[in-house]
Amino acid sequence: ISPTTLFYVLRAIFVPRARSRRLVLAVVMGALSVVAPAEISRGATIAETQRLIAALSEKLAHQEMLSESLAEKYNAAKQSIRSIDGTLAQLSVQIAKKKAALAQTSESLVTATVHSYIAGAADAQWLDLFRQDVLTSDARQQYESQVLGNLRDLKVQLKTQRDALNRTQDERRHQRALKANEAAKMQALLAQNARNEAATRATLATVTKKLKRQIIDYQIGVARAASKRGDDKAVAKAVAAAAAVGGQAAANEVLAAIKPKPHVGGSGATSAAGLRALHAAMSVRGLPYVWGGESPRYGFDCSGLTQWSWARAGYYIPRTAATQYYATKRVPLNKLQPGDLLFYYNLDNDHQIDHVVMYAGQGPWGDKTIISAAHRGTVISFSPLFTYGLIGAGRP
């Protein structure tokens, strides 16, 4: 927002009290201070990020208090409008009654008064009266003074009362317009501050996530250094510190970082059964991954593929990755043969053996090629061997 735009925004907002002016300024300055999370946290140290989180938390608390104040003002203005509307409704009823009374005075009371005047006079008196030329005699004056005098006074009185009610009604309508304007401004300020709050929360969430990442990365570095010098206590402290901010997944990251990478590769040996199992798996390449799948007609999941492939080779193994792991013979990771199974632990933080693939021997990635039903959205295919979460190898 440019300084010129800010000037016109502030000038356009009518605020009758100094406190309200401060509220307006706070909302506008809040809008100006929203900074993109990527800009705010780039290149920050852990201490800097912690200070930024404290500042953002304080800012968010202030914005929440400001929203509460604005909401109270908005509610008060709406309550005033409801009260004024009630008064206006009562005034409308009173004005309608006065108008009806004036109409009755002009019509019904005229007839009744004339009738009373004529009926109350002697025949000779009223006959003689109306034989005269009322335009040139005193008859008109007499009639008006005797018959219409009270009526004219009543009409003046009713008109005065009606005019007073109309003035009161105009004043209440003016007050209502001012309150409606105030409510609209408070509502707009409240909406703007809500957007500011949302932006601050988003920034705070991003920076907090960055801080967690910084702390975990720092503890990974500490654990690696401690592992190299054989300091198990320091490694344990680093794992605990990472877990404190990122849970078990963060602890696993630290442990994985200091775990020696296994040397995985083929021994050069082959077995007829393993090759038959591998060729069976290769025959269904291109079929989709299907959770719970175990049929070449519909598709496979990871353990469904390995069970079916080894069944084609004449060996029965259980259905799930975990049960296959315990039902097969352990094989050194540097002596794999085609058809051997590789098992992975805790890939989705469930602390279970939850994935199995088949070692292919030679393939597109040399002796680091596997074949598997990887996950939903993929098809059975060759892929490079990976070691993250690798817990061991087995052979039926």
Side-chain angles (χ1 to χ4, degrees), residues 77 80-85 87-88 91 167-183:
S80 296
I81 290 172
R82 285 192 289 269
S83 177
I84 292 171
D85 284 342
T87 302
L88 285 171
L91 287 171
R167 286 193 299 272
T168 303
Q169 186 182 52
D170 290 342
E171 291 173 1
R172 294 295 183 272
R173 284 173 176 166
H174 179 66
Q175 292 173 359
R176 190 190 189 286
L178 291 178
K179 285 296 180 183
N181 190 38
E182 179 182 346

Side-chain angles (χ1 to χ4, degrees), residues 65-223:
M65 291 174 61
L66 181 58
S67 287
E68 178 123 5
S69 177
L70 289 168
E72 286 296 315
K73 289 181 176 297
Y74 173 74
N75 291 335
K78 295 293 286 184
Q79 181 60 43
S80 296
I81 290 172
R82 285 192 289 269
S83 177
I84 292 171
D85 284 342
T87 302
L88 285 171
Q90 293 174 1
L91 287 171
S92 295
V93 172
Q94 294 176 29
I95 290 171
K97 289 181 179 179
K98 295 301 178 185
K99 287 181 178 179
L102 279 170
Q104 185 179 4
T105 300
S106 300
E107 297 176 11
S108 302
L109 289 182
V110 167
T111 303
T113 304
V114 170
H115 175 75
S116 176
Y117 171 76
I118 294 174
D123 290 347
Q125 289 178 313
W126 65 263
L127 287 173
D128 183 62
L129 174 64
F130 286 100
R131 286 193 190 101
Q132 301 179 50
D133 185 353
V134 296
L135 297 177
T136 58
S137 69
D138 294 335
R140 180 179 179 84
Q141 182 178 357
Q142 183 181 0
Y143 173 77
E144 290 181 351
S145 63
Q146 293 184 17
V147 179
L148 301 179
N150 291 338
L151 177 60
R152 185 177 290 111
D153 290 343
L154 180 58
K155 288 180 69 173
V156 169
Q157 181 183 2
L158 289 172
K159 188 175 183 304
T160 300
Q161 293 172 353
R162 184 197 64 186
D163 292 344
L165 288 171
N166 283 333
R167 286 193 299 272
T168 303
Q169 186 182 52
D170 290 342
E171 291 173 1
R172 294 295 183 272
R173 284 173 176 166
H174 179 66
Q175 292 173 359
R176 190 190 189 286
L178 291 178
K179 285 296 180 183
N181 190 38
E182 179 182 346
K185 287 173 184 172
M186 290 301 106
Q187 189 175 33
L189 291 173
L190 187 60
Q192 178 61 58
N193 199 60
R195 290 191 290 270
N196 293 346
E197 281 187 58
T200 302
R201 283 194 181 93
T203 303
L204 183 58
T206 299
V207 176
T208 301
K209 183 177 180 181
K210 178 181 176 61
L211 177 63
K212 288 183 178 180
R213 185 69 259 167
Q214 287 175 312
I215 293 174
I216 293 169
D217 289 343
Y218 174 76
Q219 295 303 334
I220 287 174
V222 170

Side-chain angles (χ1 to χ4, degrees), residues 347-363:
L347 294 184
D348 55 3
N349 295 318
D350 61 356
H351 302 287
Q352 302 287 333
I353 296 172
D354 46 24
H355 192 53
V356 58
V357 304
M358 182 178 289
Y359 181 67
Q362 292 297 320

